[in-house]
Amino acid sequence: MAKKIEVDPITRLEGHGKIEIFLDDKGNVEKAYFVVPELRGFEIFSLGKPAELMPQITPRICGVCPTAHHMASAKACDDLFKVEVPSAAKKLREMFYNMFMVEDHTLHFYILGGPDFIVGPDAPKAERNVLGVINKVGLEIGKKVIGIRREIRELMTYLGGKIIHPVWALPGGVSKGLTKDDQKKFIEIAEKSVDFALFTLKALKDIVLANKKYVEVITSDTYTHKTYYMGLVDDNNKVNFYDGWIRVVDPEGKEFAKFKVQDYQKYLAERSEPWTYIKFLYLKNVGWKGFVDGKDSGIYAVAPLARLNASDGMATPRAQEAYEELYSTLGGKPVHHTLAMHWARVIEIIYAAERFLELAKDEEIASDKIRNVPTETPEEGFGVVEAPRGTLYHHYQTDEKGLITKANLLVATQNNSARIAMSVEKAAKGLIKEGKVDDGILNMIEMAFRAYDPCHACGTHSVPGRIPIKVTIYDHKKEVVKELKNI
Amino acid sequence: MGFSLLDIISGYENLIIVDSILTGEKEPGYIYEMKIEELLEGDLKPAHYAGIPDLYLLAKKINIPFPEKVLILAVEVKDPFEIKEEFSDEIKSKISEIEKKVEERIKEFLIT
């Protein structure tokens, strides 16, 4: 008889999730499921609301990455109201967004994902947390992490009004600009951010990459999937978090597609599975072949490693150096090792900090021309950004008064959801043998999804806007004796 | 909000948190009062990993000023899962009473 192992709730990710593992008679894994039981119903909740409220409403989806929703929504509203954003406002938005990427990625590297490698994959559970990280790296580094995040977030609060739910980006621009005096402070913190990012790369090399055992884990087959990769790139195919082309490369690294957000429906499709509330995105032109990797399967990945794989490099010098080092060390592009995501994330911290500095120094950023007021009748708008956790799409339709008649949000974690499900099952199959399971092994299975930095609070859907529950009760002959449902 | 809450509360003398909770053990509108010490001992699993107890321990660890006095009030709700802009009927009918009780408790807390 199969034995069931349940890890509920899984820890250190944004939102809720559950893993169920079914063992066969020999104690090996027969099947493992990554179950997402939570939902957000913002697409329904948004109906009838004025479109210009969406940049304020959608950040409520998640308290961890509200800036991503705020910005994707503002960009969708620019498109909806057919208004061109002034150059200075574009630069302000991009700077703000890169500040967010620095502080959010830092949170993941040191606090959410960091304990797996800084403290150790098989360390006692009680030590695999931020306090364990501080015990390992020292109080001063702990203070440095908290300090740089606080300084960045204070500046974001100054511009955005509120850090958690910014009230800043508007259709056609932003509500507040920078003065020349402000600019000095932004440059100062940007310089500190670059130093901090380079320090973080050194910490990664000293603590993780210098440990042969950790590198073996990172490059092991247990944590490897050969899939397609997606990320936003600029005109030179360099990584860009705020704007550009959506580029997809195949498992061999060859460009498969490159498109603007307005065409996303030609390339992406969604499917549901009965065991989870999250929808699985896949490449329409390749097709759904089940939870399998390879060139014939439409499953793809997003987020740091995928962005690097889908690009031709980084647009800033120190990040480019780090990018080249990653690929030369791990055998060239694309890298398929899920746990290399942590390394890619650190490279992105460097890029975000360098881009923050470039923009903070830009003469035009202190211009007072920061908004064009919309005058056109809205109809349909699309927006895209790279959230820390991957490509985020907002798509709105309105009536002639600008009230939302349809909203579709493809959130970062949905893009990754099929690959995460595969990663969890493959890790479980690779690590659990003959029924031997301990806390360290279960953590190593959790590591398979934690590397993606998933956020299920915004990754789940329900059409009626509430949790759909269906309870089916079977007897010993597996015949249905009762069925309860609320949908 | 997780760890970011620390940036907001650090430096204050008093911390008052009023939130919702679903235990299923009391009628909607019931007001729980909790202490940090109880949360440290309890088996609460915050959605964003870093709850108030984690922040408290982190602040102590790296010497970040944490409010000396903490009051946590949690109002039992009926259904936190359905997304809507209004309270449930049960909470709506008691909202004045809840507000009054919370206000009185905060006044007591600040005096003592």
Side-chain angles (χ1 to χ4, degrees):
Chain A
M1 188 180 158
K3 183 183 171 188
K4 181 179 166 188
I5 298 169
E6 197 172 282
V7 185
D8 179 18
I10 49 182
T11 56
R12 281 182 280 133
L13 82 165
E14 317 297 356
H16 290 165
K18 186 163 83 167
I19 297 172
E20 290 184 341
I21 300 163
F22 295 88
L23 304 183
D24 62 19
D25 289 345
K26 291 177 183 164
N28 297 322
V29 175
E30 189 175 284
K31 193 76 195 164
Y33 293 99
F34 184 56
V35 183
V36 180
E38 197 189 25
L39 88 155
R40 294 288 187 191
F42 275 75
E43 288 154 338
I44 300 301
F45 184 68
S46 303
L47 295 177
K49 301 283 189 300
E52 64 271 24
L53 280 186
M54 294 298 272
Q56 273 72 60
I57 292 172
T58 54
R60 265 76 182 173
I61 289 171
C62 178
V64 176
C65 54
T67 310
H69 285 287
H70 181 62
M71 212 58 88
S73 183
K75 289 181 70 186
C77 286
D78 298 337
D79 193 39
L80 179 75
F81 289 101
K82 306 173 190 75
V83 59
E84 183 63 27
V85 177
S87 173
K90 276 185 192 166
K91 288 175 180 174
L92 279 164
R93 283 186 184 181
E94 189 180 349
M95 181 182 74
F96 189 83
Y97 202 74
N98 278 283
M99 294 164 75
F100 161 63
M101 293 297 277
V102 174
E103 63 94 6
D104 192 285
H105 271 0
T106 298
L107 172 77
H108 189 275
F109 178 73
Y110 285 98
I111 295 172
L112 299 176
D116 289 335
F117 285 109
I118 296 173
V119 183
D122 48 9
K125 194 172 185 176
E127 293 171 22
R128 288 195 311 264
N129 52 43
V130 65
L131 299 182
V133 170
I134 290 170
N135 284 337
K136 193 81 180 270
V137 300
L139 277 184
E140 286 313 307
I141 294 177
K143 285 181 182 176
K144 207 169 177 173
V145 172
I146 300 289
I148 191 72
R149 289 193 74 231
R150 189 182 60 244
E151 287 183 300
I152 292 172
R153 292 168 70 85
E154 278 172 3
L155 292 186
M156 290 176 70
T157 305
Y158 173 75
L159 268 185
K162 294 188 288 180
I163 187 68
I164 302 299
H165 301 126
V167 286
W168 184 59
L170 303 164
V174 293
S175 61
K176 183 177 181 179
L178 283 187
T179 64
K180 287 281 180 192
D181 277 347
D182 293 336
Q183 201 176 356
K184 289 177 197 159
K185 183 69 181 166
F186 278 72
I187 291 170
E188 180 197 327
I189 301 302
E191 284 170 343
K192 283 172 87 169
S193 299
V194 173
D195 289 345
F196 174 78
L198 296 173
F199 162 81
T200 301
L201 180 64
K202 186 174 181 309
L204 173 89
K205 287 180 180 176
D206 292 348
I207 299 169
V208 183
L209 303 179
N211 186 322
K212 201 178 161 198
K213 188 182 152 200
Y214 289 178
V215 174
E216 279 172 11
V217 172
I218 290 168
T219 55
S220 67
D221 184 59
T222 297
Y223 294 106
T224 299
H225 280 294
K226 293 180 177 172
T227 60
Y228 287 77
Y229 299 97
M230 175 188 287
L232 208 51
V233 295
D234 63 17
D235 289 341
N236 299 314
N237 288 340
K238 301 289 175 71
V239 169
N240 193 293
F241 300 137
Y242 172 72
D243 203 12
W245 298 85
I246 297 148
R247 191 176 191 225
V248 181
V249 297
D250 70 18
E252 290 159 9
K254 200 174 151 197
E255 183 175 294
F256 171 76
K258 191 173 172 183
F259 57 94
K260 286 288 181 185
V261 62
Q262 285 78 3
D263 290 327
Y264 82 93
Q265 289 161 308
K266 290 181 193 165
Y267 294 91
L268 305 180
E270 291 181 289
R271 64 171 282 113
S272 301
E273 289 287 327
W275 43 272
T276 181
Y277 293 119
I278 199 161
K279 284 184 187 172
F280 296 92
L281 279 167
Y282 63 96
L283 298 168
K284 196 185 263 185
N285 297 334
V286 183
W288 179 261
K289 307 286 162 49
F291 291 92
V292 291
D293 56 7
K295 207 171 176 178
D296 296 331
S297 167
I299 290 176
Y300 65 95
V302 296
L305 184 62
R307 281 192 284 257
L308 267 54
N309 281 338
S311 76
D312 288 345
M314 312 302 287
T316 58
R318 304 302 290 270
Q320 176 64 21
E321 275 175 34
Y323 173 97
E324 287 169 12
E325 189 180 8
L326 179 144
Y327 287 109
S328 64
T329 307
L330 296 179
K333 285 178 70 183
V335 164
H336 298 292
H337 310 305
T338 303
L339 296 181
M341 192 90 77
H342 297 290
W343 191 350
R345 189 169 288 115
V346 173
I347 295 167
E348 289 196 335
I349 296 175
I350 300 171
Y351 165 69
E354 287 185 301
R355 187 69 183 133
F356 170 21
L357 181 59
E358 278 179 0
L359 290 162
K361 285 181 172 173
D362 193 297
E363 284 293 316
E364 193 188 18
I365 208 158
S367 161
D368 57 4
K369 178 141 182 59
I370 55 173
R371 192 180 183 210
N372 286 324
V373 176
T375 54
E376 299 290 320
T377 304
E379 192 177 341
E380 185 168 31
F382 305 81
V384 65
V385 293
E386 281 294 335
R389 295 146 194 90
T391 319
L392 169 65
Y393 299 80
H394 279 218
H395 174 195
Y396 311 144
Q397 288 173 353
T398 67
D399 63 15
E400 71 285 357
K401 291 177 184 165
L403 302 178
I404 297 285
T405 54
K406 185 185 170 190
N408 191 29
L409 311 178
L410 300 184
V411 302
T413 298
Q414 264 181 282
N415 296 281
N416 269 336
S417 56
R419 187 171 151 130
I420 293 174
M422 287 197 303
S423 292
V424 167
E425 181 163 270
K426 191 168 184 180
K429 285 182 172 171
L431 294 164
I432 298 176
K433 298 290 177 194
E434 297 175 355
K436 289 176 189 162
V437 187
D438 59 26
D439 182 56
I441 286 180
L442 289 180
N443 185 55
M444 289 181 76
I445 293 166
E446 287 190 36
M447 281 165 59
F449 70 80
R450 200 149 47 227
Y452 295 91
D453 190 10
C455 179
H456 292 109
C458 54
T460 45
H461 289 246
S462 167
V463 174
R466 55 183 300 137
I467 292 182
I469 299 170
K470 185 178 175 186
V471 183
T472 308
I473 302 164
Y474 299 91
D475 66 13
H476 67 286
K477 292 175 186 167
K478 293 187 180 173
E479 287 173 354
V480 176
V481 292
K482 195 167 186 178
E483 195 172 72
L484 305 167
K485 58 183 178 180
N486 69 349
I487 47 177
Chain B
M1 287 176 70
F3 284 99
S4 309
L5 197 56
L6 197 54
D7 300 339
I8 296 168
I9 63 181
S10 178
Y12 286 94
E13 291 173 5
N14 299 306
L15 171 63
I16 300 164
I17 295 174
V18 183
D19 207 342
S20 61
I21 193 168
L22 180 68
T23 68
E25 291 169 9
K26 297 284 183 185
E27 288 295 307
Y30 182 85
I31 302 171
Y32 290 88
E33 183 166 335
M34 301 169 189
K35 293 194 171 97
I36 284 234
E37 294 75 21
E38 291 167 350
L39 296 179
L40 286 169
E41 291 164 7
D43 190 30
L44 294 178
K45 297 183 178 79
H48 293 286
Y49 172 62
I52 294 293
D54 300 285
L55 298 186
Y56 175 77
L57 292 173
L58 178 65
K60 293 284 170 200
K61 182 88 182 172
I62 57 175
N63 300 320
I64 292 177
F66 196 87
E68 277 184 29
K69 283 175 66 187
V70 180
L71 172 67
I72 302 169
L73 300 175
V75 182
E76 178 82 18
V77 292
K78 187 189 172 195
D79 176 12
F81 301 113
E82 187 172 353
I83 297 171
K84 54 187 181 181
E85 291 170 278
E86 295 181 335
F87 294 123
S88 64
D89 290 342
E90 286 83 346
I91 293 290
K92 213 187 288 178
S93 65
K94 295 177 191 168
I95 194 69
S96 303
E97 190 189 331
I98 294 169
E99 278 176 356
K100 202 175 160 193
K101 280 184 186 169
V102 168
E103 204 176 314
E104 281 170 6
R105 183 62 193 98
I106 290 173
K107 278 181 188 164
E108 276 174 27
F109 171 77
L110 292 175
I111 291 167
T112 53

